[in-house]
Amino acid sequence: MTVPRDFKEPARCRPDLVIGREELFAQAREQLNRGGSVLLHGTAGIGKSTVLRALATECGEAARTVLRCSATESESHLPFLALADLLGLVLGEVSDKLPAAQRTALESALTGRGESTLQRDGLALRLAVLSALRALAAEGPVLVVADDVQWLDPASAELLGFAARRLGETPVRMLCAVRTDGPEYDRHLRALPPDSLAVRLNPLSRAQVSALLDHRGYTGLQRSTVRDIHRTSGGNPLFALELGRALAENPTPPRPGEPLPVPTSLRALVLNRLGMLSEEARHTLLVASAGARPTPALLHTAGRENAEAEMAQAAALGLLATEAEGPAVRFAHPLISAALYAEAPAQERRAAHRALSTAASDPIERARHLALATVGTDPEVAARLAEAATLARDRGAPSMAASLG
Ligand SMILES: Nc1ncnc2c1ncn2[C@@H]1O[C@H](COP(=O)(O)OP(=O)(O)OP(=O)(O)O)[C@@H](O)[C@H]1O
Ligand SMILES: [Mg+2]
């Protein structure tokens, strides 16, 4: 199969808005240019719809017909809704090319008249979708663009899958996106033709997050702030933008060493799961989120006696990463740690820092916790901070020294 001439010119048709993703574009473009289909998958907010739109615009130029649907969670129980979005506008064009039984089945499914169900109209409906796509493709290439496939109503997903498996060399390409946390994107491939390419969207790099923030008007951020945003967002563009917005709106920037303010919009993503933790386990995780490199031993020393059992509870809820990586306590996503901290009442946070100010083994770390455990100025704290600042300077860490001094 020949690859069209423009295949190696990524920037040509790509809207400037999309930052990074060069490799992903190249892979998807190559697959689509040779007539194949693509499933983009990744976590919430990672940028699937953004890439999907850009690819659809680019590839749509070579298609005679572009069929689109974008499922929503609240409507996923409505049978044939996605199919109606996809085929509703072209029904007039194709219906007289279908055998009568298929036409009736498709029309009653799409219009909601005649109580159509997949059980009742079974084969006629399946064949009707296939025939409709073939009829359209006979006039010129077809591109099917489907976003949020995880919410596709099951009837539409089934019908699309049936057609996709039988299209063969018919020029119908599918470009889909699905929100998943892990390998379960697999089952969504069933709605696409065999040999479709599944491409995962990975986190953005720090430089890309920085470019994204710049691009959206959050300019002039300190490098350390961009680093914090990148870390807390885990390279997720939606999270990074929300964190940037919260910082821009926040009249009091976080104190040095304190996590970034997490806006309510993002806390909501993890609050459900946090709500399932026992009160004691939440306290333990709060201490972990306040610590720099928390370990079970540190949590013990900080007075969390049942740290192991509570961590197991948190891991079972998906709040902590389960894969063993040395003795460190690792949150499943940095945002969980930041949201937990942001949600905790100020006095609980101070108590966590107070516990860590004696438990941490590093003197600079202890001084930092002491500062965050204290409201106002306390002469003893001030003296300890000055001491730690000298120590930090001696170790050649001027920015840490500045934040403590
Ligand atoms: N590569 C990128 N360049 C510029 N902006 C991006 C990029 N990726 C994502 N964004 C921005 O991040 C936000 C989230 O992106 P998007 O809506 O594409 O994510 P998604 O993966 O489709 O999320 P969901 O799972 O909720 O559907 C949007 O504001 C989008 O403009
Ligand atoms: Mg999306």
Side-chain angles (χ1 to χ4, degrees), residues 10-367:
R12 208 173 63 113
C13 322
R14 232 184 74 198
D16 295 337
L17 261 174
V18 185
I19 290 160
R21 306 295 186 206
E22 290 85 3
E23 201 179 320
L24 190 157
F25 269 98
Q27 271 182 309
R29 198 177 279 125
E30 185 184 3
Q31 167 80 357
L32 290 159
N33 282 347
R34 62 162 168 252
S37 294
V38 171
L39 176 68
L40 304 169
H41 62 100
T43 54
I46 197 73
K48 303 175 294 296
S49 299
T50 304
V51 170
L52 184 84
R53 268 195 302 274
L55 279 171
T57 307
E58 183 179 319
C59 302
E61 285 173 15
R64 174 184 173 269
T65 314
V66 181
L67 307 173
R68 292 174 189 273
C69 72
S70 176
T72 59
E73 188 167 21
S74 58
E75 293 174 337
S76 61
H77 64 285
L78 295 172
F80 309 124
L81 189 68
L83 197 68
D85 286 344
L86 287 173
L87 294 179
L89 293 177
V90 292
L91 190 61
E93 187 186 334
V94 295
S95 69
D96 62 351
K97 296 178 183 144
L98 305 183
Q102 291 182 23
R103 186 184 333 150
T104 315
L106 189 59
E107 281 173 355
S108 55
L110 296 193
T111 56
R113 275 182 280 122
E115 291 285 303
S116 177
T117 65
L118 207 48
Q119 282 76 26
R120 221 190 55 161
D121 293 330
L123 191 60
L125 194 49
R126 287 179 171 84
L127 292 174
V129 175
L130 180 59
S131 309
L133 289 173
R134 280 189 180 140
L136 286 170
E139 305 298 321
V142 177
L143 177 67
V144 175
V145 183
D147 199 359
D148 287 317
V149 165
Q150 73 280 5
W151 293 321
L152 218 60
D153 63 278
S156 297
E158 156 78 35
L159 290 166
L160 262 187
F162 178 89
R165 287 189 293 278
R166 286 165 182 80
L167 282 166
E169 292 296 302
T170 316
V172 176
R173 294 173 298 173
M174 290 178 68
L175 176 55
C176 305
V178 65
R179 183 196 281 184
T180 55
D181 281 329
E184 67 275 15
Y185 71 86
D186 241 16
R187 79 187 156 86
H188 297 288
L189 275 171
R190 274 180 290 181
L192 281 81
D195 303 330
S196 291
L197 176 73
V199 198
R200 180 158 190 83
L201 273 85
N202 292 318
L204 297 183
S205 67
R206 193 199 301 174
Q208 289 166 343
V209 163
S210 172
L212 174 67
L213 291 165
D214 251 12
H215 181 76
R216 296 295 177 94
Y218 303 116
T219 46
L221 295 172
Q222 294 206 342
R223 275 171 66 153
S224 60
T225 309
V226 173
R227 194 174 53 229
D228 281 352
I229 293 182
H230 178 249
R231 198 189 51 232
T232 305
S233 67
N236 181 304
L238 176 73
F239 298 173
L241 288 172
E242 289 289 298
L243 290 166
R245 192 166 56 83
L247 265 182
E249 287 171 0
N250 200 345
T252 47
R255 297 161 73 184
E258 238 182 343
L260 293 174
V262 179
T264 330
S265 54
L266 290 188
R267 288 184 213 176
L269 292 176
V270 293
L271 282 186
N272 262 352
R273 278 183 289 164
L274 286 177
M276 289 188 251
L277 277 180
S278 69
E279 203 41 30
E280 287 299 307
R282 193 179 60 78
H283 271 271
T284 297
L285 287 205
L286 175 63
V287 177
S289 77
R293 285 167 302 278
T295 57
L298 176 73
L299 296 177
H300 269 278
T301 319
R304 308 308 306 164
E305 288 164 9
N306 299 318
E308 271 88 0
E310 287 157 356
M311 282 165 50
Q313 189 196 357
L317 288 170
L319 294 164
L320 290 182
T322 42
E323 66 271 28
E325 235 184 45
V329 178
R330 211 158 56 78
F331 284 90
H333 193 285
L335 193 63
I336 297 174
S337 162
L340 188 89
Y341 189 90
E343 275 295 302
Q347 86 209 46
E348 279 188 17
R349 289 191 219 165
R350 283 199 294 271
H353 285 297
R354 199 170 311 115
L356 287 166
S357 73
T358 53
S361 54
D362 184 292
I364 297 181
E365 175 83 14
R366 282 205 301 269

